[in-house]
Every structure is written in C-alpha cells, then in structure tokens.
Amino acid sequence: EAFISEQSNSSCGAKCGAGNYSGYALYPKRFFVNITSHIEWYLLRGVDVTVILSTRDRSISRRGKEKVHCKRQNFAHREDELAIELMKEGLRKYGAFGSIGRDRVFVSSYEALMSMKDEYLFGLYKVLRINSTYVPSFEDGNEKYVTDANEANVDENSVTSKHDIFAPQLPTSDLNSNHSLLPKKLITVVGLKGSGSTFLSTTLGKVLLSTDGETRLQHISLPQGCDSQVNASIVDALVPEECFCYEHKLKDLDTLNTKQCQDEVNISEDNIKQSIKWTCGAKCAEGQFSGLALYPDRFYINLTSHINWYLTRSVDVKVVLFLRDKSISNKEKLRNPHCHVSPEVANVEDDNAMEIMREAYQKYRDERVMIVSYEGLMQYKESYLFEIYRSLGIKSTYLPDFIDENRMFVAKDLQHQMQGPSRHKKGHANEIK
C-alpha cells in the first residue's frame, strides 16, 4: 500500500529494508527530513499533506537543545543551520505562494501562540480544516530563559546590531503622499511597545516608496504616545496624518485649511450628528480646527473599529499584528529611555493591548488581519518576508538586514531566575522543546 520496497519505483523514504525486512524504511539514529521531498513522497501516494513549521526563538530553542539533546554548541549550531535551510526550502516551494505547490507549508509561532492563545490556535485549526474548540493550558516555557538585555548573553555564533531598530515612532500614515487624503489601500502595522514592529514598518515603507502610490502605511504601537503619567484612553481609529493632532498641541497651531479633512475624510462634529459611521476617530476638533481628530497624550487604538472606520470610507485596509516573545518585548519596552513606564504599568498595558489585538484577529482573521512573527522573520528571513509581501499584495524582492536582537535577552543559563519571582507561571516540565 505504501510502496516501500526495493522493487518499487518510488523512494522508500529512507533506506529500503531487504529480505524479511522488505517493506520497512530503515532510519539512522539521528537524521534530518527533507521537507520538500517529504511532501512529494506523500502526494505521490494520494495523501493531502500539510506541514506546520513550528517556530520558536532560536536562542531559546538552542538553550533547551544544548541542555538536553546536544551539549556541543558548535555541533548544535550547524545542525540548526541545516534544519532552517530545509524549512526555508519547504516554505519557498510549498508555502502560500510556493513555486511548486501552494498552501502546504505554514509557519506557526510559539511566541504568537503564547500571546494570542486560543484565538491563534483556532486560526491554526482553520488552516488545517480541523473542527474543534479544544484549548490546552498555555504555559510560557520561554520566560525562564529571558533576562535583562546583556551583550554577554550573545554567543560566538550570534551577531548583534550597533543601532537601535526599535526607536519609537509617532503615528504616521507613510509615505506616498498624493492629492487624496484617503488611499485606495492601507497597511497598518501594529505591535506592542518593544515588539520590534518598527523593523517591519520600516521595511514595508521602503518597499512602498517604489510602488504606484495607491498604498499607504501606518505604524501603530499599543499604546501610542509617551506620557507615562496618564492612563491610556481607547480611540476608534488612527486617522490620516494630515488630520491628526495631539489635543495638548492644538493651542500651538496656526489656522489650518482642514476642509479636505471635513469633506473627504468626513471628520467633523456635524457629520457625527448625521450618521454614526462618520466618527472622527478620536475627539472632534471644533471651530476653525473642525476637521482635525484630537488625540490624548497616550492612547490605544481599537483595531476592530479602526478597520471599520476605513472600510466605511472605501479604503481597502489590512492590519498586520507584529508579535514578538512577550517577555522580551516587555524587557525592551522597560529599557526604552524615550518613554519610561513602571513594570506594573507596562504589564497592564501589554495585557490591554493583547486583548485589543485578539478581538481584531477573531473578527477579521484572514480577511483583514494577519499575524507576523518576529522570531519567524529572524529565522526564515527572505522566505518568510516574501510571503508577507505577497499576502499584502506587494511585488518586491527588497531585503533588509536581519539582526536578531532577541539574543541579548536570552540568558546562557537559568541562574538569573534566582533574582526574583516572575509575573508569569513557569513553563511546565513537558513544554515544547
């Protein structure tokens, strides 16, 4: 039935058993599986095969591997490099836009699963056409490896950057300005403070500079703004930057021509009185500044209403949720001198932001909201990035420098746990290795 035989014209999968062992595939004690030929082996036998590339931070994964399976660091590193090349090949040839076949290889992020939990899991069920509502216990096995940023954590096989790719950004609807305030297409990149979402938004921004100008880019951090002394409010949408203003800066503005914001973008108290769909996105400015949306110093954006806001204005909007290991993201946020918050506030803000992202993903998954993994980008690089481009309707082969800054946050051993208790439960003994 499986055509495993020396007499068969097809591969046995490994070494063919002979004599009494004909029909067996004989494997060495330690081996790699070529994912591409694995898929083809099953397709030849009429099997509808799907491969999930389970992705976890490389430094953390290697720490676990060296602790249990392979204590020789250089050998472990070479094995990982070969494994990743096999996975990248499978993604290129059988991913969502594969060169040979499509939708047979998918990237699954351990970190996204720990952050988004059941919503992310149900997305995987949907991809695999599994009808289930089963939810396991989510216990983050990464956290025990994470410590404060330290160059000493970087091993000899690692490369760190000399620049900060996580510099905070004010809201901006990038880059290709034209006569219309509302683009035909809008890509909104969203991440927690410290998630590294600037890396993706900068990459996409450079790509969009060379396009026809129909697509604009927004970059949103949750929460946005840097007054750590105030409680962050929730607003309905991030409006085009021409119509955006921090409320405390309104008194410093000269008289502006905001008529286009009123007429084209429908930002006006008068429009709100006529129809609920014409919300200003935030607080409506009045009088000579009517047409501006006024934002508090620190705020969240409700991504679900943000999508609806643009859809009612006939903008083809897509939201990219950029997810990074939540403990590392939190550490990065706390060390940012531009916008310091206490650990307690940072934890609450991150939890609130994740709820906003989970709601949007639940309501608009696949159609309007997609998840991109920081760890996936650092691991699969161009193979993963090109899939992201094509999912967003972007034709480009532009490649940024891929510099994995997670490595600074991953301890070489677990001695740092003695420093104090964690806010999260420790990973259980049977965590994913």
Side-chain angles (χ1 to χ4, degrees), residues 234-300:
I234 301 178
V235 300
D236 290 333
L238 181 61
V239 302
E241 63 177 334
E242 297 89 345
C243 309
F244 173 97
C245 182
Y246 281 110
E247 187 170 6
H248 78 273
K249 292 185 176 181
L250 187 64
K251 63 181 182 299
D252 300 325
L253 293 181
D254 296 326
T255 302
L256 299 173
N257 180 9
T258 59
K259 190 174 188 303
Q260 193 173 5
C261 291
Q262 296 180 47
D263 296 344
E264 181 189 348
V265 191
N266 299 104
I267 297 177
S268 166
E269 277 198 326
D270 294 335
N271 285 329
I272 283 184
K273 293 172 184 177
Q274 296 172 17
S275 172
I276 190 65
K277 71 178 181 178
W278 298 131
T279 166
C280 294
K283 181 179 179 181
C284 301
E286 300 175 343
Q288 63 179 336
F289 298 112
S290 180
L292 292 181
L294 304 180
Y295 288 77
D297 290 339
R298 195 167 179 82
F299 59 94
Y300 302 97

Side-chain angles (χ1 to χ4, degrees), residues 3-47:
F3 300 101
I4 298 175
S5 168
E6 283 189 321
Q7 284 72 46
S8 173
N9 291 326
S10 60
S11 163
C12 293
K15 182 179 178 180
C16 299
N20 291 337
Y21 299 104
S22 181
Y24 282 99
L26 306 181
Y27 289 79
K29 289 183 177 180
R30 192 168 181 83
F31 59 92
F32 295 92
V33 176
N34 184 316
I35 294 170
T36 302
S37 60
H38 173 84
I39 293 170
E40 292 165 353
W41 194 92
Y42 278 97
L43 290 176
L44 283 171
R45 288 155 176 79
V47 178

Side-chain angles (χ1 to χ4, degrees), residues 167-173 193 218-221 224-226 238 241 244 246 249 297 299 338:
Q169 290 185 336
L170 291 177
T172 177
S173 55
K193 287 279 189 183
Q218 286 180 325
H219 176 216
I220 294 173
S221 293
Q224 191 76 53
C226 276
L238 181 61
E241 63 177 334
F244 173 97
Y246 281 110
K249 292 185 176 181
D297 290 339
F299 59 94
H338 178 71

Side-chain angles (χ1 to χ4, degrees), residues 333-346:
K333 176 178 180 177
L334 289 173
R335 80 177 186 130
N336 188 337
H338 178 71
C339 186
H340 180 70
V341 293
S342 68
E344 293 77 17
V345 170

